[in-house]
Structures are given as C-alpha cells and as structure tokens.
Amino acid sequence: MIQDLSYERLLETSKRVNWRLEDIIGDDKPMDFSKPFLPESFARTAPLDFLTRTERLKLNQIRAFGYLAMFELVERCILPIIEDLAPSKPGQDPHRRPALVQFAAEEAKHIELFVRFRRAFVETFDVSCGFIGPAEDIGAAIRAHSQLGLALFVLGIEWSTQRHYVESVLDDEELDPQFKSLLKHHWLEESQHAKLDALVFYELAARASSEQIDQAVEDFLDIGAFLDGGLAEQVQLDLASLEEAIGRTLSVVERGAFVQNQHQAMRWTFLGSVMTNEGFLKAVEQVSPDGRARLESVAPAFC
Ligand SMILES: [Fe+2]
Ligand SMILES: [Fe+2]
C-alpha cells in the first residue's frame, strides 16, 4: 500500500475534500431529538429491556454526547503529536511538512466541530451529561508513551472513524441526519489522515529497532487499557445522566446489567472497532506481523 501513497497526492486530495464548519453545523441545521444519534452497533441499547423505547432513545443520545466529548478529548491529545511530527528534515519529501500542517489544521477544525455539536446538544437535551477529565491530564498521560506508539495510536483513531461512518450510513436509516452528517464529514477528512499517518508510522518504524516496534505495540495496548479505565468511569456518569433524564432510579440488578452492557458497548466503539479494523491491521502488519497477531489476540475482549 505504501507505494501508492505520497505526501503530495495526499495533500492534494485533502484540499479537495476539505469542508467548512458552517456547511456542517449552524442554527439552520438543528439536531432532531426524536431520532437516535449513534448507530445501534455502538450504542447497544436494545438488550436493556428494562428501559422503555423512549428511555433507550435518551440513552442513545447520552452516548452520542459522550462520543462527541471523547473525540474532542482524543483530538486535543493528538494535535500536539502531529505538530511535533510536522517539522521535516533536509532531504525529506518537500510536501511532507505542508501535508502534516494541513492535517493538524483539520484536527483543530474537528475539535471546533465537536465543541459546536456538543453546545447544540446541551442547549436542547433535558439534563447536563457528565464526562471524564480533565482532558489535559488524560492527554498528558497518553503522550508520555513512545513516539512510535503514539503514531500507532493516532493511526488507530483515524481508522476508527471509518467504521463509525460506514456503520451509520449503511445500517441505519433511522439516525438523525445531522449526526450522520457529522460522522460522514469527519470520516471524509480522517480517511486522508489515516493514509498520512500510515506514512509517518512507516517512516518512524523504518528508523526503529525491532524492540522499539514491539514496544510501540505494547504502548498502544497500554494506552488502550488506560482509556478503558476512563470508559468504566464514563459508564457510571452515563448511568447518572440517564436516571436524571428519565426521572427514575434503576434497581441494583438493572444497574449491574447497564454497567456491563454499556462498558462493552463503549469498548467496541472506541477500542474494539480499531483493533479489528482491516486497514489499521494491514498497516501494523506491514511493519510487524507479530504486532498484528498481538493486537488480534487482545481484540476479542473489546468486541
Ligand atoms: Fe479528526
Ligand atoms: Fe484525524
């Protein structure tokens, strides 16, 4: 795949697919709160049969809020990583730096997109939903890993948005068109980032020892485990938001079922959907077939 990629071509495509925030969100494009926002494959509310249909819809929307907040958090964490990688050395491809600068500018725009969606959500939704943080501390803990591990993490995040878009568009005609549009437009640019980040990952891997490559895979898994701890906390916040939104308290048994089901749903959304993504795994395999096997051996816990 690497021979098909060049910074020049990726930069050109990036400029072509680039969209403006005002085309995606604004007062003339409200979200429709009578519809679900997240695809059921990610929200997984159907098994919670102790919730009414309306209550499951509320949960879907609470999860969508968490989705926006999580992407905002992750992209805030990623931005300094890209900015660190952008300066290019003499002799490197002259299009490398402009392509990475464009990449960083798009991530900054995505952060603003998520902020605006989140604001629009808060203005209409019945209760204020909690979210884990502070984002700066989570970002700093993630960025404490090796540069190659971080490049792998960024690559995984880029690829995750593909599945979010494909599953929302292909499976689900019920979803709010505004949220679908968010998923679609995000993926349009992320699909270029995934290719660009693959180039950076290959470039760093070419200079790394096999121990450093093994370490990068372990760093990726370590970041995943760290985020998984955050997801467990987020499930408790979502439970509190749901109980407030539906005006009733769940029983102990129902809460237990909620926590188990929703933690696994979030694991799939943010971790499993990455670790089973063929595009991502192919990029890992190109550098380390053992690394791919390692990720595939861990993935079922997050599916
Ligand atoms: Fe993004
Ligand atoms: Fe991205």
Side-chain angles (χ1 to χ4, degrees), residues 42 67 71 155-170 183-184 186-188 190-191 194 273-274 276-280:
F42 296 104
Y67 178 91
F71 261 92
L155 185 63
I157 295 299
E158 316 294 7
W159 273 109
S160 74
T161 62
Q162 178 215 35
R163 206 153 200 167
H164 298 168
Y165 162 60
V166 170
E167 295 201 5
S168 70
V169 169
L170 296 183
L183 296 172
K184 176 183 169 182
H186 194 215
W187 164 241
L188 272 179
E190 291 298 333
S191 65
S273 67
V274 177
T276 58
N277 185 301
E278 196 46 38
F280 173 68

Side-chain angles (χ1 to χ4, degrees), residues 93-140:
D93 187 325
H95 298 96
R96 183 186 179 281
R97 185 186 170 88
L100 289 174
V101 167
Q102 166 90 4
F103 179 172
E106 286 175 355
E107 291 301 23
K109 181 179 71 177
H110 297 173
I111 292 170
E112 180 60 20
L113 176 71
F114 292 124
V115 168
R116 290 198 198 178
F117 259 97
R118 195 158 50 78
R119 229 183 266 148
F121 183 99
V122 167
E123 276 169 15
T124 309
F125 197 66
D126 327 359
V127 299
S128 125
C129 302
F131 190 70
I132 52 169
E136 300 73 34
D137 294 356
I138 295 174

Side-chain angles (χ1 to χ4, degrees), residues 32-82:
D32 182 351
F33 281 78
S34 70
K35 292 177 181 294
F37 293 168
L38 269 194
E40 173 60 18
S41 52
F42 296 104
R44 296 190 185 174
T45 64
L48 302 175
D49 54 8
F50 48 85
L51 298 178
T52 66
R53 198 181 159 80
T54 310
E55 291 171 341
R56 288 202 292 267
L57 178 64
K58 292 277 178 225
L59 174 58
N60 181 296
Q61 293 169 350
I62 289 167
R63 285 287 312 286
F65 176 84
Y67 178 91
L68 300 179
M70 180 60 90
F71 261 92
E72 186 187 325
L73 180 150
V74 165
E75 300 219 349
R76 283 187 196 282
C77 166
I78 283 176
L79 193 52
I81 301 174
I82 317 290

Side-chain angles (χ1 to χ4, degrees), residues 135-298:
E136 300 73 34
D137 294 356
I138 295 174
I142 291 173
R143 288 193 301 272
H145 293 82
S146 69
Q147 195 178 40
L148 189 59
L150 292 176
L152 192 55
F153 167 65
V154 175
L155 185 63
I157 295 299
E158 316 294 7
W159 273 109
S160 74
T161 62
Q162 178 215 35
R163 206 153 200 167
H164 298 168
Y165 162 60
V166 170
E167 295 201 5
S168 70
V169 169
L170 296 183
D171 289 6
D172 216 325
E173 289 308 313
E174 304 275 293
L175 293 187
D176 168 40
Q178 252 304 83
F179 214 86
K180 266 174 108 155
S181 161
L182 166 89
L183 296 172
K184 176 183 169 182
H185 285 91
H186 194 215
W187 164 241
L188 272 179
E189 292 186 350
E190 291 298 333
S191 65
Q192 301 313 309
H193 297 181
K195 293 175 193 153
L196 201 54
D197 195 61
L199 279 183
V200 172
F201 175 62
Y202 296 142
E203 173 196 300
L204 294 173
R207 297 203 300 261
S209 65
S210 62
E211 289 76 22
Q212 286 170 320
I213 290 172
D214 292 346
Q215 184 57 48
V217 173
E218 293 311 312
D219 282 349
F220 175 89
L221 291 172
D222 193 50
I223 294 169
F226 171 69
L227 285 176
D228 188 39
L231 298 181
E233 284 177 38
Q234 186 58 42
V235 173
Q236 298 295 336
L237 295 172
D238 285 358
L239 175 59
S241 303
L242 178 72
E243 288 185 335
E244 194 186 342
I246 65 180
R248 71 185 181 94
T249 307
L250 302 184
S251 72
V252 173
V253 173
E254 289 167 344
R255 281 182 170 183
F258 178 96
V259 167
Q260 197 184 24
N261 158 281
Q262 284 297 294
H263 189 187
Q264 205 58 27
M266 279 193 210
R267 280 176 162 164
W268 168 246
T269 305
F270 297 110
L271 302 168
S273 67
V274 177
M275 291 158 81
T276 58
N277 185 301
E278 196 46 38
F280 173 68
L281 289 172
K282 273 188 183 152
V284 176
E285 186 179 5
Q286 189 147 332
V287 167
S288 166
D290 287 351
R292 175 182 176 137
R294 171 91 172 108
L295 294 178
E296 285 184 312
S297 72
V298 175

Side-chain angles (χ1 to χ4, degrees), residues 9-20:
R9 204 170 325 153
L10 290 173
L11 180 60
E12 268 172 32
T13 313
S14 248
K15 286 181 176 164
R16 196 156 23 87
V17 301
N18 193 275
W19 40 261
R20 300 177 319 155

